[in-house]
Amino acid sequence: MLRFIVRRLLQLIPTLGGLSILLFVWLQRLPGGPEYALLPDDATAEQRAALRRSLGLDEPLAVQYLTFLRRIVQGDLGTSLQTSRPVLDEFFLRFPATFELAVTAMLIAVTLGLPLGYLAARKRGTVLDFAAVGGSLLGICTPVFFLAFILKVVFAENLGLFPSAFRLSPGLSRTDITGFVVLDGLMTREWDVVTDALAHLVLPGLALASIPLAVITRMTRASVLEVMGEDYVRTANAKGLHRTTVRTRHVLRNALLPVVTAVGLLAGSLFAGAVLTESVFAFPGIGSFVYAATQTRDYPVLTGFILLIATMYVFINLLVDISYSLLDPRVRAQ
Amino acid sequence: MSSSTPLLAVDELSVVFHRKGHGETRAVDGVSFSLEEGRVTGLVGESGCGKSVTSLALMGLLPERGVKVGGSAVMRLSDEGEDLVEADLLKVSQRRMRDLRGTQLAMIFQDPLSSLNPVVPIGVQVTEILKRHRGMRGAAARKEAADLLYRVGIPDPTRRLNEYPHQLSGGMRQRALIAMAVACKPRLMIADEPTTALDVTIQAQILELLKDLVTEEGTALLMITHDLGVVAGLCDDINVLYAGRAVETAERGPLFADPTHPYTVGLLGSIPRLDAPRGEPLTPVRGSVNDNIAWADGCAFAPRCDHYTMECLQGPPQLVRMADGESGSPGGAGHVHRCVNPISHADVVDRAVLESPAVAGDDEEERG
Ligand SMILES: Nc1ncnc2c1ncn2[C@@H]1O[C@H](COP(=O)(O)OP(=O)(O)OP(=O)(O)O)[C@@H](O)[C@H]1O
Ligand code: SF4
Ligand SMILES: [Mg+2]
């Protein structure tokens, strides 16, 4: 197992290496560099050129790339052009917010998606099934940005059920231990902080959950339908086992295997999805920071963010593979 | 045969599938047979003739929707006291059927690998049935499970309890499934081609195991097979099925000595042998199952039959019982066939008609 984990972590190197080259070439081709975003419109050509030079953007691409690599090996993702602070520090500062949001979204998606998909399979062809299938199609098709906006307008601004922005209500005092608001609140028993933070998570959490929820519902439904037709389910019924035993031990246990993989892949995509959701709800996470970075052509932040996502994917995949091997003895044997 | 009533009396069993866009499929179209304790009854016939559907109907394992089951299958549930407790397997509630499955009747299937849950240890798959029907728990259940595995010929059973199906050989898997089937000493066992997926040498061992069960425990075994050697070596009574109906029923001796129905003769080959080696398939009969006509219009086998006459197309042929002594071997009294021009070893004298002519409704059925 250890060898397997190490081998998978070593895969990170070529993955990130390849990705960073692609990024470099791609960013270079984007029209309008930071010299336009950071300087006022009436800046002279000389001023713009000076800025490019000071950022090292006038060097040949290969040289820029090598400089970048050398710094990355030292754990330095560069300095944000917006805030003039190290990119890594900015990420660390905002990571807890995004993480809380992503976990909320995943919890919503899993706790609703699994039962919904399972029921749709059991009641195949009924109104409930059509509603689940149709609803999930809608969930996949609706842009997250649009959904976030609708949720905000309806439930926050019109109905006033939930706050429309930020992680916490302004003026609420809290003790900061880990940076994770909900976790800190639980540890210090500041219940008002916990409820307030959760209320702030509901709408962005729902918006971010829409795609994973739809995918999990559909996958669970398809998987349960397939497993219900398997020979071993017939055997379980032939043994006269209780319906519930057949459904849990024999149907669900097997049907959830492919869903685990899907959940892992979706978890990775949540961080990318957070960019738009966070910006709609002014949620102070990595996502809204990166959104701002796209506006100002903050190259170091963008590069760092994409490398961060890629690293997360590799780690999450590793987690998925490990949990899969715990769940499926056939994989364990190999 | 301790009692005058058979253990299971299947009468006019029919199964019709309704599928959207496919119309009706009469998978089983009036099959009758009975099973006795300590005897092996064979169900033979080509692919698609309704063998598996028959067994699933008896087990109550057909899909819940789109299926219509007719007829009756009365099983004697206990002989205690004077009262005879019987139940019609086709009519009991689903709940009751779950109590009966595993305790009164059990089934083993064709493909042992796909019939076992791949992610649950063998031990759990055996003990779950002990928990369910015998109320056993924990260590006692595990011990009994190991005993069961040992009894069906699995060496080192305690270790096997912790293993998963993919870690067992094909033969071991089928043995494990047999162990689950016999865990509560059911009096009726159905085996649907239990050896088809196995190597020839393993096949013989599994058949031996099933045979021992029947002799030692007095279980009634309904054996579904394609294998002439299994029919000859294991089955006491044989029902030959064609297009959802029994076309010939007899004890083993008479059937091999005097196959009367042209289809049976075709299946057994030109020289029917009681000592046919195992693994030898039934002889394929010319043509295909799809070349048939509705039983309501005449003999479904007619398009493939070398003996057919115009008479064969005048409504469904009736079941005919062969007269005593007519059959070449002793025990020919139960020899029944469904053919107007039987292949004669002696002429059919007593044409006792065993069933009423087809009801008018039958004529409406059309096969696609
Ligand atoms: N669930 C189902 N829905 C519709 N038709 C079915 C269904 N199951 C079986 N049938 C039909 O019933 C008929 C009998 O099938 P069955 O499985 O009993 O054949 P069989 O005698 O067991 O054949 P084999 O030797 O191939 O196992 C076939 O024509 C089949 O297409
Ligand atoms: S009834 Fe006629 S067609 Fe059918 S098997 Fe007998 S001889 Fe052949
Ligand atoms: Mg079959």
Side-chain angles (χ1 to χ4, degrees):
Chain A
M1 182 58 96
L2 196 67
R3 266 184 51 203
F4 168 73
I5 295 176
V6 169
R7 204 172 58 225
R8 290 298 296 271
L9 288 182
L10 286 179
Q11 278 178 14
L12 252 179
I13 297 172
T15 309
L16 293 186
L19 194 66
S20 58
I21 294 180
L22 277 179
L23 268 176
F24 245 83
V25 175
W26 177 67
L27 284 181
Q28 202 66 22
R29 305 226 163 268
L30 278 183
E35 68 272 25
Y36 293 97
L38 290 178
L39 294 179
D41 284 346
D42 55 2
T44 61
E46 286 78 44
Q47 284 172 314
R48 295 195 200 282
L51 182 66
R52 283 191 72 88
R53 216 173 310 119
S54 71
L55 294 175
L57 294 175
D58 57 339
E59 307 263 4
L61 212 51
V63 177
Q64 284 186 45
Y65 182 66
L66 286 178
T67 319
F68 168 78
L69 270 192
R70 202 177 53 237
R71 279 203 262 133
I72 256 196
V73 172
Q74 296 160 353
D76 178 5
L77 284 179
T79 308
S80 163
L81 304 183
Q82 306 169 76
T83 64
S84 308
R85 292 182 2 155
V87 171
L88 212 56
D89 290 0
E90 296 285 4
F91 282 172
F92 272 126
L93 191 68
R94 294 175 168 82
F95 180 80
T98 304
F99 190 79
E100 268 181 355
L101 179 59
V103 168
T104 307
M106 211 56 196
L107 280 180
I108 293 174
V110 169
T111 50
L112 290 182
L114 287 185
L116 212 60
Y118 176 72
L119 282 179
R122 282 256 320 275
K123 312 264 177 218
R124 182 167 48 148
T126 64
V127 178
L128 183 114
D129 183 24
F130 286 126
V133 171
S136 61
L137 193 65
L138 202 68
I140 290 173
C141 296
T142 314
V144 175
F145 182 79
F146 180 71
L147 181 66
F149 186 73
I150 296 287
L151 285 175
K152 176 167 139 169
V153 168
V154 174
F155 293 99
E157 288 167 4
N158 284 355
L159 298 177
L161 292 176
F162 297 100
S164 66
F166 311 129
R167 266 176 109 185
L168 272 179
S169 302
L172 200 68
S173 79
R174 73 178 201 103
T175 324
D176 192 353
I177 305 173
T178 59
F180 295 92
V181 180
V182 178
L183 191 67
D184 288 350
L186 288 174
M187 290 198 307
T188 56
R189 299 171 188 241
E190 293 167 339
W191 304 124
D192 55 334
V193 173
V194 175
T195 46
D196 188 69
L198 288 179
H200 280 83
L201 280 169
V202 171
L203 293 183
L206 273 176
L208 193 54
S210 66
I211 287 177
L213 171 61
V215 174
I216 290 173
T217 305
R218 298 195 135 225
M219 284 220 49
T220 309
R221 177 183 179 275
S223 181
V224 167
L225 276 179
E226 189 182 320
V227 171
M228 284 199 303
E230 292 285 351
D231 285 352
Y232 52 80
V233 173
R234 189 180 57 188
T235 307
N237 279 314
K239 293 197 278 193
L241 301 179
H242 283 302
R243 225 175 257 265
T244 36
T245 318
V246 176
R247 283 175 184 166
T248 50
R249 183 178 294 157
H250 297 283
V251 176
L252 271 183
R253 183 81 214 276
N254 282 284
L256 289 187
L257 286 179
V259 181
V260 169
T261 311
V263 167
L265 292 175
L266 291 166
S269 73
L270 283 182
F271 277 77
V275 172
L276 293 175
T277 314
E278 287 185 356
S279 66
V280 171
F281 290 98
F283 200 81
I286 297 182
S288 48
F289 182 62
V290 168
Y291 182 76
T294 58
Q295 307 297 306
T296 52
R297 299 283 185 270
D298 193 343
Y299 288 164
V301 169
L302 294 180
T303 322
F305 180 64
I306 292 174
L307 293 183
L308 179 78
I309 288 186
T311 314
M312 302 256 322
Y313 259 106
V314 173
F315 272 102
I316 288 170
N317 260 325
L318 183 65
L319 278 181
V320 167
D321 285 344
I322 291 172
S323 54
Y324 209 94
S325 76
L326 293 178
L327 291 173
D328 190 339
R330 290 164 297 185
V331 176
R332 216 177 303 162
Q334 285 160 14
Chain B
M1 278 172 268
S2 53
S3 171
S4 55
T5 40
L7 178 66
L8 177 71
V10 178
D11 190 39
E12 285 293 308
L13 173 69
S14 65
V15 179
V16 184
F17 291 102
H18 301 266
R19 278 185 304 174
K20 279 190 205 122
H22 288 264
E24 288 192 340
T25 315
R26 299 198 142 253
V28 180
D29 194 5
V31 167
S32 307
F33 58 88
S34 58
L35 303 182
E36 304 283 357
E37 279 133 321
R39 283 178 83 80
V40 182
T41 305
L43 227 47
V44 301
E46 282 164 320
S47 190
C49 69
K51 306 182 296 291
S52 299
V53 171
T54 301
S55 57
L56 292 175
L58 296 179
M59 291 290 293
L61 290 176
L62 288 171
E64 284 169 29
R65 280 186 282 180
V67 187
K68 215 162 69 196
V69 180
S72 69
V74 177
M75 183 167 178
R76 183 154 43 79
L77 296 181
S78 91
D79 320 274
E80 286 157 38
E82 296 295 295
D83 302 331
L84 195 64
V85 182
E86 292 183 331
D88 184 343
L89 298 180
L90 306 181
K91 302 203 174 59
V92 296
S93 70
Q94 290 208 25
R95 222 200 156 107
R96 178 115 168 81
M97 199 63 207
R98 275 186 196 273
D99 291 336
L100 298 181
R101 286 200 291 254
T103 54
Q104 295 282 344
L105 67 167
M107 182 159 180
I108 52 179
F109 299 93
Q110 178 173 344
D111 181 356
L113 180 58
S114 66
S115 296
L116 286 166
N117 188 331
V119 302
V120 172
I122 297 290
V124 175
Q125 299 192 52
V126 181
T127 50
E128 64 183 357
I129 188 169
L130 298 172
K131 279 184 187 154
R132 163 70 171 97
H133 295 299
R134 291 169 61 183
M136 300 178 81
R137 291 281 181 277
R142 277 184 77 81
K143 169 140 197 341
E144 175 68 12
D147 283 352
L148 278 166
L149 292 185
Y150 184 75
R151 249 181 285 158
V152 296
I154 296 184
D156 200 358
T158 325
R159 179 169 65 94
R160 296 292 182 192
L161 289 181
N162 296 320
E163 292 192 345
Y164 291 88
H166 72 271
Q167 292 167 290
L168 271 58
S169 67
M172 291 290 167
R173 287 179 202 133
Q174 195 59 294
R175 283 174 195 274
L177 281 158
I178 294 176
M180 294 169 206
V182 301
C184 303
K185 294 197 189 306
R187 296 196 300 164
L188 167 62
M189 197 142 96
I190 303 175
D192 189 351
E193 302 187 33
T195 56
T196 315
L198 305 173
D199 292 342
V200 179
T201 45
I202 311 293
Q203 287 185 5
Q205 295 170 11
I206 296 290
L207 291 172
E208 210 54 46
L209 178 64
L210 289 173
K211 198 170 186 170
D212 291 347
L213 263 170
V214 173
T215 23
E216 285 164 22
E217 307 280 343
T219 317
L221 177 62
L222 179 63
M223 184 80 189
I224 296 173
T225 183
H226 273 132
D227 186 332
L228 190 56
V230 174
V231 181
L234 199 66
C235 300
D236 300 307
D237 306 298
I238 293 136
N239 296 284
V240 180
L241 257 53
Y242 189 79
R245 286 200 185 185
V247 292
E248 184 156 11
T249 298
E251 289 189 19
R252 168 174 45 176
L255 190 83
F256 276 82
D258 295 314
T260 9
H261 195 282
Y263 179 60
T264 316
V265 174
L267 281 184
L268 297 184
S270 44
I271 324 157
R273 292 186 310 158
L274 262 177
D275 60 344
R278 288 213 170 102
E280 181 174 315
L282 294 162
T283 319
V285 176
R286 149 184 94 78
S288 109
V289 235
N290 301 321
D291 308 331
N292 60 15
I293 53 175
W295 277 111
D297 298 334
C299 177
F301 185 57
R304 303 167 68 188
C305 182
D306 294 328
H307 299 260
Y308 93 96
T309 57
M310 284 318 287
E311 215 190 324
C312 305
L313 300 178
Q314 321 268 296
Q318 307 301 310
L319 270 186
V320 176
R321 183 189 296 281
M322 293 185 46
D324 245 355
E326 177 192 343
S327 197
S329 318
H335 193 161
V336 172
H337 63 77
R338 189 191 290 278
C339 175
V340 290
N341 303 314
I343 293 180
S344 64
H345 301 264
D347 273 323
V348 178
V349 191
D350 177 14
R351 286 209 157 183
V353 171
L354 294 182
E355 58 174 22
S356 51
V359 278
D362 271 350
D363 297 341
E364 293 163 16
E365 315 298 349
E366 273 301 321
R367 273 161 196 271

